[in-house]
Amino acid sequence: MVPEYDAVARKAIELIGPIPLEDSVPDATVREFIEFSNSIKKIAVDSNRFNFRWDGLLRYYDVCLNYSEEKTFKDKFARQCSSCASWLVLRPDWKKCYSCGKERTDEEAAITWNPPLAVDEVKALVRASDAKPAARREKEQITDAPAFATLPREVSV
């Protein structure tokens, strides 16, 4: 789990845990939680570990995950096949529909960036999304041991 997410979740439980379900949450508690969440979000964004285009993924939120009523668009990462209506991930190297086998055009397989991005910005985003975040990379160490190793076992008769 991401430590920042864990801290925000624990704070939410701490603040609203004692409040009975039938009671409404006081405005002061809501404001305290939003301030805490924003401070943690700022630390997370400043750490540069999360290099993703959030404003393109989430409608109404900008790149720093700030709510914005004026923003009503998002990027399109999936589209339905024109032949069989299966949902397909948009990637330039995945052009064939896995359900019906229809070949998609370059335009049909491309992500729709809203607002449009320059080619070098698209390539940088694809590289960033393919790379593992530093936190996961440290945890996942590849070893030379096979996945199913035979361990010696003593059998007593």
Side-chain angles (χ1 to χ4, degrees):
M1 180 180 288
V2 178
E4 291 84 358
Y5 177 84
D6 187 49
V8 172
R10 289 180 189 281
K11 184 68 169 183
I13 292 168
E14 173 190 320
L15 290 173
I16 64 172
I19 301 172
L21 290 176
E22 54 276 349
D23 292 354
S24 62
V25 179
D27 286 340
T29 304
V30 172
R31 279 193 302 278
E32 180 183 350
F33 178 73
I34 290 172
E35 288 169 9
F36 178 79
S37 177
N38 284 337
S39 69
I40 294 293
K41 180 177 63 173
K42 181 171 176 14
I43 292 167
V45 169
D46 290 346
S47 74
N48 229 3
R49 289 185 295 135
F50 306 101
N51 53 355
F52 194 75
R53 186 182 156 125
W54 293 108
D55 58 337
L57 185 63
L58 303 171
R59 189 182 310 265
Y60 301 116
Y61 289 85
D62 67 7
V63 73
C64 291
L65 291 177
N66 295 313
Y67 179 78
S68 171
E69 250 181 63
E70 293 83 38
K71 184 184 172 295
T72 58
F73 56 84
K74 65 179 185 174
D75 298 333
K76 290 187 180 177
F77 297 104
R79 187 172 287 133
Q80 285 185 292
C81 174
S82 59
S83 178
C84 69
S86 290
W87 283 96
L88 305 169
V89 174
L90 297 179
R91 283 189 63 126
D93 55 342
W94 294 352
K95 293 192 180 175
K96 197 176 229 183
C97 176
Y98 57 83
S99 293
C100 68
K102 181 179 188 239
E103 190 83 18
R104 297 188 285 174
T105 65
D106 288 340
E107 292 80 27
E108 290 174 326
I111 294 173
T112 305
W113 299 104
N114 192 356
L117 296 177
V119 174
D120 55 336
E121 290 177 307
V122 172
K123 288 179 181 176
L125 281 172
V126 170
R127 279 194 308 275
S129 67
D130 287 344
K132 286 187 179 178
R136 279 186 47 208
R137 196 178 313 119
E138 291 168 5
K139 288 181 185 176
E140 297 175 5
Q141 295 295 326
I142 299 173
T143 62
D144 292 335
F148 299 102
T150 305
L151 299 175
R153 197 167 90 176
E154 258 185 56
V155 178
S156 57
V157 183

